[in-house]
Amino acid sequence: LKKLVLRLGSKKTQVWVGTGVLRQAGKLLRKVSSSQGPMKGWIIADARLKKESKTLKDSLEKEGWKIHLLYLKVSEDLKSSNGANRIYEELLRFQADRRSVLFALGGGVIGDLVGFVAGTYLRGIPWVGVPTTLLAQVDSSIGGKTGINHSKGKNLIGVFHQPAAVLCDLDVLRSLPQRDMISGLGEIIKYGLIFDSTLFSKLEKIYSPFHFSDPDLENLIARCLKWKCQTVEKDERDETGAREVLNFGHTLGHAIEAETQYKYYRHGEAVILGMRVAARLSYLRGYLPENTQERIDRFLRGLPVGSIPSQLKNKNLLERLKWDKKAVDGQVRFVLLRAIGSTVLDRQIQAKEISSALDWIRSRRMS
Amino acid sequence: LKKLVLRLGSKKTQVWVGTGVLRQAGKLLRKVSSSQGPMKGWIIADARLKKESKTLKDSLEKEGWKIHLLYLKVSEDLKSSNGANRIYEELLRFQADRRSVLFALGGGVIGDLVGFVAGTYLRGIPWVGVPTTLLAQVDSSIGGKTGINHSKGKNLIGVFHQPAAVLCDLDVLRSLPQRDMISGLGEIIKYGLIFDSTLFSKLEKIYSPFHFSDPDLENLIARCLKWKCQTVEKDERDETGAREVLNFGHTLGHAIEAETQYKYYRHGEAVILGMRVAARLSYLRGYLPENTQERIDRFLRGLPVGSIPSQLKNKNLLERLKWDKKAVDGQVRFVLLRAIGSTVLDRQIQAKEISSALDWIRSRRMS
């Protein structure tokens, strides 16, 4: 069991990673729930996770919590004002007050939605993230970015609201489909590429999607979370630019997801494609040696993600980039690599360079 | 023209109070808009304030801002997820980005709604409050409490999001109905009672609802805002309790508003009644000498608000108190007075004491 602490001003987020975390949740959270009287909690859970919900509920009740449980059928449509209203109604029905705690048990959709509700109910109540996908454990559970979708785009409505704690239980990952593991691996690789060449080398050696051992996985997740915490501590609200490096591979990744209506790619899969493009751009713009770019691409194209489909036209992807949430005055900013583990921000990239990088990726054969 | 600065961590809110503030807005905000390139602004205005909107728009455009203008028909129903969506749509239509600034031109409903939208659009963009009622200028414009209503209660959904600047123009107050001036005066009196006996004495002397001179009004507003800034600086997010004193008169005031479906009383009018009850409770609980309580009541009952109507039953008001947003485990906390200018927090008040205070107020004749 590994523990990390994210410190932001006077607030902290306690993070646990390991096996059996759900069973121990009540004890682990003793220090989080410092107030007097019995704690009231609402577990908002992906309806497919009945067993995990019950494990968490039992563990908390053993420590004296009073727990309500709400199951939600998860789809991207749930991440909307309608989905938020479902939860507000439930909280109001049982008179949740400012000391009540929400638990978000599920993947990214549940985390983003429940975090947003916690951030806006009575102007903010505490919440605990219980991410159940590798992607959510490794990345989206930390950092306080919460939000819902608007019909015109994803995550357009949201707030920064840090969780009081995050519980990453490796046991819940065992039943994940391979594609979900690959999607999470995409974000793990990202941390290697932008911060940590040792991590990247290790991934090149140990990667085998069916055979991450528990200790390997615990180490990988904890290592990524350590990097994420350090970055968020420097730039909680995405203002100073420190946090922008986390966007590596995401600029084009988001465009690919949007252009395929979020139906074809898992988030991490699209990020893997986005990182291939970003690495190629890093070479084209003169930051990264060609052999390093080739090394990165060899690893990434070896993953079972496929290439960029020919139906996805360059001009449509370029049009999507203008709509990027982080664009300022229509100018997109790309995070690129100087080396494995070192980044540079480039605001001057031309459309034709992006097209050239896309074409190069399309031309590579899968190994 | 008076200027105050509210400092919260690395952020500050610049506040201007005086005549002709709207005409000078462009110049005053020069320092607020520090980024390069032309600034984009959205004025979200009460549809009744066409002239004021145009004055503000002209003043900003003269300084190079690109301004969109959206008029909204104001009612309490506007302060809802539907109202928020109206504004989100408008922002998305013209691609507002993270540097775009929202201007909230109107009373409390506009300020709460636009502040909430600014706090949740792209996880937070800057906003400027342009309060046009005395109540909003003196109190609700500062402090960052934003929110919308839920069918089950007011302000249940919201965030803390400090405005970048607040522009209090005395000129816009000239056309206000007397009841709106009295409502604002209610909050001014509150600042006297909880912080500032000199202010209270001054109000006893100069009060005449039709004859606040501009210099008097400028001084009164600036003095209240100074107190508000000091309090919010100690307790931005309503956590340490420092901010709780601002709730003086509001606990019962909110119950009175709710019990009359927010249709009969202006907010400040209900607060005036709530302060009378709180002052009486302060005496009944042994904190405040009877002659001081009588002095307070004499001034408050002299205002054209009326008494608590007999249709408002004690037991219904008491039931409402349990639903108070700040109640914890059903226990309501009352801010009471030890003296004019000094408060005490009491969590042990019995229902029968509240009933007794209500009955006492009902028994006083208007002077």
Side-chain angles (χ1 to χ4, degrees):
Chain A
L1 198 67
K2 284 199 158 52
K3 186 179 167 188
L4 293 90
V5 179
L6 169 68
R7 284 170 212 283
L8 294 164
S10 61
K11 298 276 169 72
K12 47 183 185 172
T13 301
Q14 311 204 33
V15 186
W16 285 275
V17 184
T19 57
V21 168
L22 283 188
R23 268 187 288 109
Q24 305 169 65
K27 280 183 189 159
L28 295 174
L29 293 176
R30 262 188 207 154
K31 285 169 200 161
V32 172
S33 56
S34 60
S35 56
Q36 311 103 327
M39 296 293 294
K40 282 196 287 187
W42 269 256
I43 299 174
I44 318 290
D46 183 329
R48 292 167 296 189
L49 301 172
K50 299 252 172 16
K51 188 168 69 78
E52 291 81 356
S53 302
K54 209 177 158 318
T55 304
L56 177 60
K57 184 166 184 279
D58 288 348
S59 170
L60 292 167
E61 285 177 341
K62 229 175 265 170
E63 294 290 321
W65 288 68
K66 196 170 162 347
I67 296 291
H68 297 266
L69 183 52
L70 174 66
Y71 290 118
L72 294 174
K73 192 155 173 283
V74 171
S75 71
E76 193 67 29
D77 289 347
L78 179 66
K79 226 177 106 172
S80 63
S81 53
N82 287 341
N85 274 329
R86 277 285 303 280
I87 305 176
Y88 292 136
E89 293 283 348
E90 184 76 8
L91 297 175
L92 288 165
R93 182 140 57 118
F94 297 103
Q95 303 196 17
D97 64 30
R98 291 187 171 181
R99 292 193 329 174
S100 303
V101 180
L102 304 193
F103 291 80
L105 181 83
V109 167
I110 289 281
D112 287 0
L113 173 67
V114 174
F116 178 74
V117 168
T120 52
Y121 182 73
L122 305 182
R123 297 198 194 96
I125 63 173
W127 71 292
V128 172
V130 191
T132 58
T133 62
L134 181 57
L135 182 76
Q137 289 194 355
V138 97
D139 190 57
S140 64
S141 66
I142 300 273
K145 288 194 177 180
T146 74
I148 57 177
N149 302 330
H150 184 277
S151 55
K152 292 234 170 74
K154 297 228 315 168
N155 294 321
L156 290 175
I157 316 299
V159 294
F160 287 94
H161 187 50
Q162 302 296 336
V166 178
L167 307 174
C168 297
D169 192 327
L170 302 182
D171 301 331
V172 304
L173 303 180
R174 282 184 227 287
S175 54
L176 285 186
Q178 190 201 350
R179 278 190 71 182
D180 283 324
M181 292 302 282
I182 296 295
S183 179
L185 183 64
E187 291 285 352
I188 295 177
I189 296 167
K190 182 190 80 177
Y191 283 99
L193 287 174
I194 63 178
F195 288 132
D196 190 338
S197 61
T198 311
L199 173 60
F200 186 77
S201 301
K202 190 170 165 73
L203 287 169
E204 285 180 311
K205 280 200 206 78
I206 68 169
Y207 164 67
S208 161
F210 298 102
H211 292 100
F212 281 124
S213 67
D214 279 349
D216 272 348
L217 210 47
E218 185 176 308
N219 283 326
L220 287 174
I221 296 171
R223 190 147 176 159
C224 291
L225 288 176
K226 192 199 72 177
W227 285 114
K228 177 87 182 239
C229 287
Q230 283 183 12
T231 312
V232 173
E233 280 168 0
K234 280 186 210 149
D235 182 20
E236 180 182 3
R237 288 171 177 264
D238 223 350
E239 290 166 331
T240 69
R243 202 162 164 160
E244 201 166 0
V245 295
L246 300 176
N247 224 35
F248 177 71
H250 282 59
T251 314
L252 216 102
H254 284 147
I256 290 172
E257 285 184 276
E259 203 49 31
T260 50
Q261 283 72 52
Y262 299 92
K263 289 197 163 69
Y264 189 75
Y265 289 104
R266 300 266 199 290
H267 174 67
E269 293 175 330
V271 168
I272 287 168
L273 293 174
M275 292 192 293
R276 293 182 64 195
V277 176
R280 183 65 185 173
L281 280 170
S282 306
Y283 160 67
L284 291 175
R285 297 283 295 166
Y287 302 115
L288 192 69
E290 189 168 21
N291 61 344
T292 310
Q293 187 247 312
E294 181 51 52
R295 174 183 162 198
I296 294 168
D297 202 71
R298 198 179 315 121
F299 181 52
L300 293 177
R301 74 173 175 260
L303 301 173
V305 174
S307 187
I308 301 171
S310 53
Q311 300 96 301
L312 280 186
K313 302 292 178 216
N314 289 4
K315 77 168 166 33
N316 296 339
L317 290 171
L318 288 165
E319 189 56 34
R320 288 277 175 183
L321 291 182
K322 287 195 202 152
W323 261 96
D324 190 89
K325 198 157 68 269
K326 291 170 188 81
V328 169
D329 295 332
Q331 182 62 53
V332 178
R333 305 144 67 88
F334 265 92
V335 178
L336 299 181
L337 299 178
R338 285 182 189 288
I340 293 175
S342 169
T343 56
V344 56
L345 190 67
D346 193 328
R347 303 152 207 240
Q348 313 263 301
I349 295 183
Q350 304 296 311
K352 64 177 185 220
E353 294 170 305
I354 300 172
S355 269
S356 158
L358 285 165
D359 292 339
W360 186 87
I361 303 297
R362 292 183 206 275
S363 74
R364 307 309 284 176
R365 272 195 298 174
M366 298 297 110
S367 56
Chain B
L1 197 67
K2 284 198 156 53
K3 185 180 168 188
L4 293 90
V5 179
L6 169 69
R7 284 171 213 283
L8 294 164
S10 60
K11 300 275 170 72
K12 47 183 187 174
T13 301
Q14 309 204 33
V15 186
W16 285 274
V17 185
T19 56
V21 168
L22 283 188
R23 266 187 289 110
Q24 305 169 65
K27 281 185 187 156
L28 296 174
L29 293 176
R30 262 187 207 155
K31 285 169 201 161
V32 172
S33 56
S34 59
S35 55
Q36 310 103 327
M39 297 293 294
K40 282 197 286 189
W42 270 256
I43 299 173
I44 318 291
D46 183 329
R48 292 167 296 190
L49 301 173
K50 299 254 172 13
K51 190 169 67 80
E52 292 81 356
S53 302
K54 209 176 159 319
T55 304
L56 177 60
K57 183 166 184 279
D58 288 348
S59 171
L60 292 167
E61 285 177 342
K62 229 175 267 170
E63 294 290 321
W65 288 67
K66 195 170 162 349
I67 297 290
H68 298 266
L69 184 51
L70 173 66
Y71 290 118
L72 294 175
K73 191 156 174 283
V74 171
S75 71
E76 193 68 29
D77 289 345
L78 180 66
K79 226 177 107 172
S80 62
S81 52
N82 287 341
N85 274 328
R86 277 286 304 280
I87 306 175
Y88 292 136
E89 293 284 347
E90 184 76 8
L91 297 175
L92 288 165
R93 181 140 57 120
F94 298 102
Q95 304 195 15
D97 64 28
R98 291 187 172 183
R99 292 191 331 173
S100 303
V101 179
L102 304 193
F103 291 81
L105 182 82
V109 166
I110 288 281
D112 287 0
L113 174 67
V114 174
F116 177 74
V117 168
T120 52
Y121 182 73
L122 305 182
R123 298 198 193 95
I125 63 173
W127 71 291
V128 172
V130 192
T132 59
T133 63
L134 182 56
L135 181 77
Q137 289 194 355
V138 97
D139 189 58
S140 64
S141 65
I142 300 272
K145 288 194 178 180
T146 75
I148 57 178
N149 301 330
H150 183 278
S151 55
K152 292 235 172 73
K154 297 229 313 171
N155 294 320
L156 290 175
I157 316 299
V159 293
F160 287 93
H161 188 51
Q162 302 296 336
V166 178
L167 307 174
C168 297
D169 192 328
L170 301 182
D171 300 332
V172 303
L173 303 180
R174 282 184 228 287
S175 54
L176 285 186
Q178 190 201 349
R179 278 190 70 183
D180 284 324
M181 291 304 280
I182 297 294
S183 179
L185 183 63
E187 292 283 354
I188 295 177
I189 296 167
K190 181 190 81 177
Y191 284 97
L193 288 174
I194 62 177
F195 289 131
D196 190 336
S197 61
T198 311
L199 172 60
F200 186 77
S201 302
K202 191 169 163 73
L203 288 169
E204 286 180 311
K205 279 200 207 80
I206 68 170
Y207 165 68
S208 160
F210 297 102
H211 292 100
F212 281 124
S213 68
D214 278 349
D216 272 348
L217 211 46
E218 185 176 309
N219 283 326
L220 287 174
I221 296 171
R223 190 147 177 158
C224 291
L225 289 176
K226 192 199 71 178
W227 285 114
K228 178 89 182 238
C229 287
Q230 284 184 12
T231 312
V232 173
E233 281 168 359
K234 280 185 210 151
D235 182 21
E236 181 182 3
R237 287 172 177 262
D238 223 349
E239 291 166 330
T240 70
R243 203 161 163 161
E244 201 166 0
V245 296
L246 300 175
N247 224 35
F248 178 71
H250 282 60
T251 314
L252 216 102
H254 284 148
I256 290 172
E257 286 183 278
E259 204 49 31
T260 51
Q261 284 71 51
Y262 299 91
K263 290 197 162 72
Y264 189 75
Y265 289 104
R266 301 266 199 289
H267 175 67
E269 293 175 330
V271 168
I272 287 168
L273 293 174
M275 291 192 293
R276 292 182 65 195
V277 176
R280 183 64 186 175
L281 279 171
S282 307
Y283 160 67
L284 291 176
R285 297 283 295 166
Y287 302 114
L288 193 68
E290 188 167 20
N291 63 342
T292 310
Q293 187 248 312
E294 182 50 51
R295 175 184 162 197
I296 294 168
D297 203 71
R298 198 180 314 123
F299 181 51
L300 294 177
R301 74 174 176 260
L303 302 173
V305 175
S307 187
I308 301 171
S310 53
Q311 300 96 302
L312 280 185
K313 302 293 178 215
N314 290 2
K315 79 167 164 30
N316 295 339
L317 291 171
L318 288 166
E319 190 55 34
R320 288 278 175 184
L321 291 182
K322 287 194 202 154
W323 262 95
D324 190 89
K325 196 156 70 269
K326 289 170 190 81
V328 169
D329 295 332
Q331 182 62 51
V332 179
R333 303 143 68 89
F334 264 92
V335 177
L336 299 182
L337 299 178
R338 284 183 191 287
I340 293 174
S342 170
T343 55
V344 57
L345 189 67
D346 193 328
R347 304 154 205 238
Q348 312 264 302
I349 295 183
Q350 303 298 312
K352 65 176 184 221
E353 294 170 305
I354 301 172
S355 269
S356 158
L358 286 165
D359 291 340
W360 187 86
I361 303 296
R362 293 183 205 275
S363 74
R364 306 309 285 174
R365 273 194 297 174
M366 299 294 109
S367 55

